[in-house]
Amino acid sequence: MRATSPRPRPKAMTLTEAAAARIQAAIVAADRPIVGIRVGVRNGGCAGMSYTMEYAETRNPFDEVIEDKGVTVLIDPKAVLFLLGTEMDVRTDKFASTFVFNNPNQTSACGCGESVAITPVPVEQLDG
């Protein structure tokens, strides 16, 4: 029987150049030492879930660590299956600049754009 190498693990999240630059600027401007940005999801909003972002002063033991374009993004372990394949970007218009998540697991969003419905990636898809 021929040994097979494990299938490469899919990256939980990628960043556009604009998102990486904005995160880097936020880390530099922080008023305390920051190791990166922590991203997650939480229950709430009219569509069921919303994305969360906060400064991360330390890495938690079970964080998924993404190093992309010179910045560190830590993903809450409870959020990994909801975020697999997501691209983080920045949208800038005349009045505001905000992070956006282009998530292939998102099934719908509310009209105000504050919450989303996300279906987690089945664990079986990760093993096969």
Side-chain angles (χ1 to χ4, degrees):
M1 180 165 26
R2 189 177 91 184
T4 59
S5 60
R7 185 174 81 165
R9 187 172 172 189
K11 214 172 194 183
M13 183 182 290
T14 59
L15 305 172
T16 64
E17 292 290 340
R22 181 65 187 103
I23 291 170
Q24 186 63 39
I27 290 171
V28 168
D31 59 358
R32 60 191 186 276
I34 302 299
V35 298
I37 299 292
R38 182 168 286 109
V39 175
V41 294
R42 67 177 164 87
N43 291 331
C46 49
M49 300 186 96
S50 59
Y51 297 104
T52 62
M53 288 183 64
E54 64 185 6
Y55 288 123
E57 295 179 30
T58 61
R59 291 183 183 188
N60 294 333
F62 299 106
D63 282 338
E64 180 81 13
V65 179
I66 306 297
E67 301 282 347
D68 194 11
K69 297 176 181 66
V71 297
T72 301
V73 177
L74 307 171
I75 300 177
D76 181 325
K78 296 176 291 228
V80 170
L81 292 178
F82 291 99
L83 296 174
L84 279 174
T86 297
E87 178 190 63
M88 187 177 182
D89 197 4
V90 173
R91 179 180 309 137
T92 303
D93 64 23
K94 193 175 189 179
F95 299 107
S97 179
T98 187
F99 287 102
V100 293
F101 297 87
N102 300 314
N103 187 341
N105 309 305
Q106 183 175 313
T107 55
S108 66
C110 67
C112 66
E114 293 295 318
S115 67
V116 294
I118 308 170
T119 303
V121 173
V123 175
E124 307 82 58
Q125 285 185 1
L126 302 177
D127 295 333

